[in-house]
Amino acid sequence: IGLAGFHFPGLKFLSDRLDGTAQRRGAAIYVSMFSFGGAVSFFGAGLIESWFGWKTVFTVSGWGAVIAFLLVLFFIPVGERRTASHAGAFLDLPAVLRNREAGRYITAYFGHVWEVFAMRGWSVPLLAFCAAQPGNGAFAGWK
């Protein structure tokens, strides 16, 4: 829910408030923080679980999205909304398909998203497999 509600709307929010080089740089930093934030969340979840138990991990994670929402609501100033500089259809698929450069970006991004979410989708079964191995005492207390 946090990813769907904050990641891409946040990217749009950021890019609407920056121009030129700052917009490209800001978008690159913002998107790269997705992976960094994911790594830190796994690390933090492990620490919290070892100190307070797995239920606290879910509680802290849930409150993280609420806090992020409140930060945006109360601390991010409302800026002017940009309007599109062209008057065209919202989704002009034939024009997109004719644009070879856009096609390369779309194909590359498709591959990237496929790889990222395949890795994320298989991380839970991998952890379950590791936990189920004989002699693995790391997960002995889990019920």
Side-chain angles (χ1 to χ4, degrees), residues 20 42 79:
F42 278 118

Side-chain angles (χ1 to χ4, degrees), residues 31-142:
V31 171
S32 69
M33 288 296 112
F34 176 78
S35 295
F36 178 73
V40 169
S41 72
F42 278 118
F43 178 73
L47 286 178
I48 293 169
E49 193 281 326
S50 68
W51 292 334
F52 304 107
W54 66 269
K55 292 178 183 178
T56 305
V57 173
F58 283 89
T59 302
V60 170
S61 298
W63 278 106
V66 172
I67 291 168
F69 175 76
L70 294 174
L71 288 172
V72 169
L73 186 65
F74 292 112
F75 293 103
I76 303 296
V78 176
E80 291 183 30
R81 183 178 173 95
R82 293 187 190 158
T83 57
S85 60
H86 64 283
F90 172 71
L91 181 60
D92 188 1
L93 192 56
V96 172
L97 294 174
R98 285 190 302 270
N99 185 331
R100 292 170 117 355
E101 186 175 353
R104 287 191 294 268
Y105 278 110
I106 291 167
T107 302
Y109 196 69
F110 172 82
H112 166 67
V113 169
W114 183 291
E115 170 264 330
V116 166
F117 285 100
M119 188 267 312
R120 289 176 191 275
W122 281 101
S123 62
V124 172
L126 173 66
L127 292 173
F129 172 78
C130 293
Q133 295 305 299
N136 186 348
F139 300 99
W142 286 27

